[in-house]
């Protein structure tokens, strides 16, 4: 099954003694909104959402859910491109359309894989964690107007980020239900 995975790290467990270096308060807010849209109350990690729907199942169920979703025609179109105007910058462009559907939001994420963190304290003290598809830059929501949305941005690329492990993704989402109408992504070949 083809998927566009994104890992949005949350910091609400930081009080246990170890601060997640990849957490962002916006990611916790997004998780809370998806939990509410699913009419649930419980936040936990790791919590998986496929097409905005919480999935509490084994890997086979995850694979099956993604396979079924891929069989459904996309309800939006996305064009995503990137270029590198300099070694420390990424210029990206995302255009999305979904005529006749509203309200919708466009999101773009720059993620990095093969990250490692060493946990010094808390319930995972002494553990080395490996992370893939970790969102480093989160752009959106960009609200659709007239059946389309467009985002152009130049992003600084910190020296510590491994350019060969960067991925770019974009998706169109219904903000009321959390459902994703289309998602695209892959390696950031512009770097």
């Amino acid at each position: 099954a083809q998927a566009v995975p994104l890992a949005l790290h949350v910091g609400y467990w930081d009080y246990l003694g170890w601060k997640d270096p990849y957490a962002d308060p916006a990611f916790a807010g997004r998780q809370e909104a998806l939990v509410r849209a699913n009419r649930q109350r419980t936040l936990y990690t790791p919590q998986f959402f496929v097409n905005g729907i919480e999935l509490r199942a084994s890997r086979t169920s995850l694979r099956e859910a993604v396979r079924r979703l891929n069989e459904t025609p996309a309800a939006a179109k996305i064009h995503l491109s990137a270029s590198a105007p300099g070694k420390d910058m990424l210029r990206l462009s995302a255009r999305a359309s979904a005529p006749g559907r509203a309200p919708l939001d466009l999101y773009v994420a720059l993620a990095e894989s093969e990250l490692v963190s060493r946990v010094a304290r808390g319930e995972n003290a002494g553990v080395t964690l490996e992370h893939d598809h970790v969102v480093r830059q989160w752009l959106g929501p960009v609200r659709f107007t007239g059946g389309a949305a467009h985002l152009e941005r130049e992003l600084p690329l910190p020296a510590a980020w491994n350019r060969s492990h960067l991925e770019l993704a974009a998706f169109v989402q219904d903000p009321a239900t959390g459902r994703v109408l289309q998602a695209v992504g892959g390696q950031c070949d512009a770097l």
Side-chain angles (χ1 to χ4, degrees), residues 28-43 47-56 105 107 173-180:
R30 178 170 174 75
Q31 182 183 17
E32 290 168 7
L34 286 171
V35 166
R36 280 193 308 275
N38 278 268
R39 295 186 172 99
Q40 301 293 326
R41 294 180 185 216
T42 307
L43 293 169
Q47 191 165 23
F48 291 92
F49 294 90
V50 175
N51 189 29
I53 300 168
E54 182 184 9
L55 189 65
R56 295 185 185 204
D105 293 327
Y107 290 89
Q173 185 173 40
D174 179 331
T177 65
R179 300 303 180 266
V180 174

Side-chain angles (χ1 to χ4, degrees), residues 4 10 24 27 31 44 47 50 65 76 78 84 114 116 119 137 139 142 144-145 150-151 156 165 167 171 180 191:
V4 180
V10 295
D24 186 310
F27 302 161
Q31 182 183 17
Y44 60 94
Q47 191 165 23
V50 175
I78 302 172
E114 297 189 29
V116 175
V119 182
Q137 287 281 332
L139 305 170
V142 177
F144 272 56
T145 53
H150 180 234
L151 174 72
H165 297 154
E167 307 158 351
F171 62 95
V180 174
L191 303 173

